[in-house]
Amino acid sequence: MADLVPTVCANASASKQWVRVALDVPLPGLYDYWTVSPAQLGDRVIVVFGRRQMIGVVVALPQEPSFDPLKVKEVQVVLKDIEPFTQSWLRFASFAADYYQRPLGEVLLPALPVPLRSVSSYLGKRSGDGPVSRLGKRRTASQQATSESVVPTLNSAQEQAVVAITQATSFKTFLLYGVTGSGKTEVYLHAAAQTLARGQRVLMLVPEINLTPQFEQSLRARLEPVAGIHGVAVLHSALSDTERLRAWLRVQSGEARIVLGTRLAIFAPLDDVGLIVVDEEHDPSYKQQDGLRYSARDLAVWRAHDLGIPIVLGSATPSLESWANVEKSTYQRLDLPARARAVTLPSVRLVDTRRLQLEQGLSPQLLQAMRARLANKEQVLIFLNRRGYAPALHCSSCGWVSQCTRCTTFTVLHRGAARRAQLQCHHCGVQQPVPKACPDCGDQDLQPMGRGTQRIEEHLSELFPEARTVRIDADSTRKKGSAQALFASIHAGEVDILVGTQMVAKGHDFANLGLVGVLNADAMLFSQDFRAPERLFAQLMQVAGRAGRHSGHGEVIVQTGYPEQAVYQALLRNDYSGFARHSLQERQEAALPPFSYQALLSAEARDLNVAIDFLRGARDLANELSAHYQTEAVLTLYDPVPLRIVRVDNMCRAQLLLESTSRPALQSLLRAWLKLLPEQLDARQVRWQLEVDPLEI
Ligand code: ADP
Ligand code: ZN
Ligand code: ZN
């Protein structure tokens, strides 16, 4: 590979070439430059844009520039330190940009590791020959994977699934539907092994960074013989810039045969993929929530389609979108009906908290079950999706509640190091000391209101002093590597009670966990969002699925004030398909997704009225356009509404929902609409953005 080729040194007789460049700027369009050093499609270039130097990607080699040739500037450097991106990769990024209605540069460049897209890593003082050559030959030593002693013999359901997947030679979407612990991972591993053996690579997505070490371990232990010692590359957002670059280069060079990662790994630069796996496909974390708001699951399906290969979406509680696709025969369902090790699923019990005296939020039933399991040397998981000590601080004499000054939310009480308490806003991040006395009435008796994981942990340590209790949430795992260490100690049996948020609910195969207690599930029950029950059900099934995976006599206790709700009843019967049928019917009657397609325009401004007015104007525009673009489709334009938490960081937020019975019609409407919006509406005081297929409404 050649090093940097500054254009000034290029042969003067070389002919001038036009290049069309995608830049990461919030403007639609591509930008033309010229160069005399050879530039290929997919090369990165350093150019001047406005007054800034930027790195862009060459996405076309036009015959003529699209504007006055005399005004076209020269490329400063054509970067040749990595191979140009392939056509197929560029096509993928273009699709994502079109589908999510964003400029191509805003998709392409953020997909790259930071060193490959920042000018300073090439032209800075200490940049030398650029980040790639600086990496040098040094590589992080790959430890020998601990070889997994036994490869289980597949049961017949697993066998059938593997056969179906590996026999597919062109695009096909499989929904691997298997209860928790049914051995879906084993199916992925077998199918992956066969794909690798055919000389093709495997792309595997998992929803959580914390699941990558466990998967990486199994992949390496099992697939190293076919993939090679450096055959697994891991991509996720917690890697340092250098680690990410290193992994990316191993993927691009073809050295990595298996690419494992979280949602961003869908942008990994590889084409010779033979199989894509999306584990826990229903998981909301496949949706990127800022910048380009893409769904990695949906993009994965498109990519498999584009590459003409099979894709496996795995879940115990598939998204209703995927379930509907099975019913339409767009996807093929593969069933793993039973647990692979333990034949029985955990038993579920609902504890009605309405008539109970709770002790610090814990029912006598749960406490008794905990005692029994601990006496039996089994682990217990208490699931509470609320971090911190208490959701708010409260004055019992005047009713004052701790509130964020910048957001319309309570500030959460946290216990820091040395038990120093603090109030934190989970929306804007502001941190304040705890007041000594009530700011309103001066009373000194301020009390925590409600419970978070810290408080439950504290209480359980008092109640079960002989048990070893740990807490796993975003706070206790902030330090790099700490989550992995905590999970390792659980697997090693050094923990008796785990208190955790959804971080512990996903994917982990705890061998000795007998009991799961669920606290405060009701919080999600009465959300405005039509997907709330679906999400709650998936979350409950998933956390319940941590119990008794190896022993087969697991137990789940859910404390609720609404045991008669459909979600809980379905959980009790372990009835996903019944729940899905019922929910899909409701969605169909209400013409909600997957029976319609949505887009969400959100706006924020200092003044709520400004945001709402902007959205009203936008709605009127959409209304006018709909005559042209929704001829055969039904377009529903809802009223602009403020968000439930209306003010965050002193910005007031509102949204406008669009719904159409036709996806293509909605897409063309959105395209035209986005062109008109900035022209026709005064958006100086508004920050706005469009989200296609929003997950949260
Ligand atoms: P899932 O991903 O469906 O939740 P896993 O793949 O984690 O389930 O499997 C659950 C447990 O069952 C794991 O400990 C796994 O090693 C084991 N297992 C999977 N398949 C088999 C099999 N065919 N025979 C015995 N054990 C198996
Ligand atoms: Zn007070
Ligand atoms: Zn705040």
Side-chain angles (χ1 to χ4, degrees), residues 96-204:
D98 272 0
Y99 186 80
Y100 294 110
Q101 311 279 347
R102 297 296 283 249
L104 179 54
E106 277 195 349
V107 177
L108 270 179
L109 288 138
L112 307 181
V114 173
L116 291 183
R117 60 174 144 106
S118 59
V119 174
S120 62
S121 59
Y122 288 91
L123 301 182
K125 276 204 194 83
R126 272 180 263 144
S127 57
D129 285 335
V132 176
S133 72
R134 269 205 311 285
L135 272 186
K137 295 271 173 279
R138 221 163 14 95
R139 60 156 99 244
T140 36
S142 265
Q143 315 107 311
Q144 197 69 38
T146 50
S147 58
E148 218 149 87
S149 41
V150 260
V151 178
T153 320
L154 296 183
N155 59 41
S156 70
Q158 287 172 314
E159 187 71 55
Q160 280 175 35
V162 172
V163 167
I165 296 162
T166 53
Q167 277 182 352
T169 50
S170 57
F171 170 62
K172 185 156 196 172
T173 310
F174 295 99
L175 181 69
L176 183 63
Y177 167 55
V179 295
T180 50
S182 59
K184 294 186 286 295
T185 311
E186 207 55 51
V187 172
Y188 307 147
L189 289 172
H190 277 77
Q194 294 193 31
T195 308
L196 294 170
R198 286 200 302 256
Q200 289 175 306
R201 301 204 267 167
V202 176
L203 174 59
M204 181 158 175

Side-chain angles (χ1 to χ4, degrees), residues 372-504:
R373 295 285 169 166
L374 292 170
N376 201 26
K377 301 267 176 288
E378 289 176 62
Q379 289 169 322
V380 174
L381 165 63
I382 302 297
F383 174 72
L384 171 62
N385 217 357
R386 193 145 85 186
R387 65 189 177 87
Y389 189 82
L393 191 67
H394 163 244
C395 169
S396 35
S397 39
C398 78
W400 171 86
V401 182
S402 60
Q403 253 168 336
C404 181
T405 51
R406 299 199 269 177
C407 313
T408 41
T409 52
F410 297 143
T411 44
V412 178
L413 184 64
H414 278 256
R415 284 273 165 89
R419 304 210 135 209
R420 280 249 303 281
Q422 201 187 42
L423 289 169
Q424 273 182 24
C425 174
H426 284 190
H427 294 268
C428 70
V430 85
Q431 305 192 348
Q432 300 156 337
V434 173
K436 297 233 159 35
C438 172
D440 279 4
C441 76
D443 196 308
Q444 298 200 346
D445 186 26
L446 296 178
Q447 292 297 329
M449 192 168 87
R451 277 162 215 92
T453 46
Q454 284 188 329
R455 194 173 187 187
I456 294 292
E457 176 197 17
E458 179 183 280
H459 185 60
L460 288 174
S461 309
E462 284 161 11
L463 277 175
F464 300 96
E466 70 293 347
R468 296 156 300 178
T469 302
V470 301
R471 171 169 54 89
I472 298 197
D473 56 25
D475 299 309
S476 74
T477 56
R478 201 141 278 164
K479 271 220 308 278
K480 202 172 173 178
S482 57
Q484 217 179 321
L486 277 175
F487 283 115
S489 68
I490 300 168
H491 288 296
E494 294 157 14
V495 170
D496 303 304
I497 304 175
L498 288 82
V499 179
T501 55
Q502 56 177 343
M503 259 180 87
V504 282

Side-chain angles (χ1 to χ4, degrees), residues 54-86:
M54 300 183 91
I55 290 189
V57 176
V58 177
V59 294
L61 301 168
Q63 293 296 317
E64 294 293 329
S66 58
F67 57 103
D68 183 358
L70 293 174
K71 292 197 180 140
V72 175
K73 284 184 259 182
E74 184 182 359
V75 168
Q76 299 209 301
V77 186
V78 178
L79 298 168
K80 284 288 185 187
D81 55 342
I82 60 170
E83 293 293 315
F85 300 120
T86 62

Side-chain angles (χ1 to χ4, degrees), residues 318-320 323 327 537 570 575-587:
S319 63
L320 291 175
W323 198 253
E327 304 208 316
F537 184 71
D575 182 17
Y576 168 80
S577 66
F579 179 76
R581 197 179 322 115
H582 164 81
S583 309
L584 279 174
Q585 196 171 350
E586 278 183 357
R587 298 269 184 98

Side-chain angles (χ1 to χ4, degrees), residues 563-584:
E564 67 289 342
Q565 286 282 321
V567 178
Y568 294 126
Q569 290 301 315
L571 182 76
L572 208 54
R573 298 190 306 268
N574 180 38
D575 182 17
Y576 168 80
S577 66
F579 179 76
R581 197 179 322 115
H582 164 81
S583 309
L584 279 174

